[in-house]
Amino acid sequence: MAAVAVVGIAFVLYSAFSPSSTQAASPAAADSGAKAGTTAAAGAFTARTLLGEQVAVPGSRPSVLFFFSVGCGGCGPATHALAQAQQAVGTKANFVAVDIGPGETEQDITDFLTANQATTLAYASDTNTSLISAYQVTQLSTAVVLDAFGKPVFRAVEPAAEQIRAELAKVGA
């Protein structure tokens, strides 16, 4: 199972960064087949919560994007840290878990968020790699903090909740 996840992730990353790729990063959908996200411009998309609420990124406030795959060992604890940061910051920022695992279903994502005590996070599925391309994500378990205008101002792999809160405070959240 782990080997399949590694191969799948390698394929997604190769597709996103391959010079021969014909994938456009800007107006493509975050996942035109998934129920949890569409894009209008480079890096802009709409995620949703498990309760069905829509979350626009960029929106009117800063955002934290966390790129994960259900099969990623370090992604679970880092997703939990993101949920802890969300509890501390509240509605001053958007918090979105972005699944980049090919073939992972909405139920897989829901189960992952539930298992990692992160059910308050919004989520999106990036099966066509437009978001990992737009935000230049090269590693699973990467968090990207955006200011209210959608400009990336910080990125880290598996950051602690305190680090996320500190970076959000720098952009007014």
Side-chain angles (χ1 to χ4, degrees):
M1 177 76 169
V4 172
V6 170
V7 170
I9 292 165
F11 174 77
V12 169
L13 292 174
Y14 175 79
S15 297
F17 300 106
S18 172
S20 63
S21 175
T22 58
Q23 182 91 5
S26 25
D31 181 16
S32 57
K35 296 119 190 121
T38 59
T39 60
F45 67 102
T46 302
R48 75 172 189 177
T49 67
L50 293 179
L51 298 176
E53 298 168 358
Q54 302 292 310
V55 177
V57 177
S60 59
R61 54 189 167 206
S63 299
V64 182
L65 309 180
F66 179 72
F67 294 85
F68 77 98
S69 175
V70 170
C72 164
C75 293
T79 302
H80 181 68
L82 183 64
Q84 289 176 318
Q86 181 185 36
Q87 286 179 332
V89 174
T91 60
K92 295 178 187 174
N94 295 320
F95 291 81
V96 180
V98 180
D99 181 62
I100 65 170
E104 293 178 351
T105 67
E106 196 165 342
Q107 187 62 53
D108 293 334
I109 296 168
T110 299
D111 291 347
F112 176 83
L113 294 175
T114 301
N116 291 291
Q117 301 171 351
T119 56
T120 57
L121 299 177
Y123 67 93
S125 187
D126 187 30
T127 58
N128 69 5
T129 70
S130 64
L131 296 177
I132 63 173
S133 294
Y135 293 106
Q136 301 174 357
V137 174
T138 60
Q139 188 172 348
L140 279 169
S141 213
T142 296
V144 179
V145 175
L146 310 174
D147 66 15
F149 303 103
K151 177 184 173 193
V153 295
F154 173 79
R155 74 180 55 242
V157 175
E158 298 179 8
E162 301 78 32
Q163 190 176 17
I164 295 167
R165 286 195 311 261
E167 295 302 325
L168 283 169
K170 293 178 185 177
V171 292

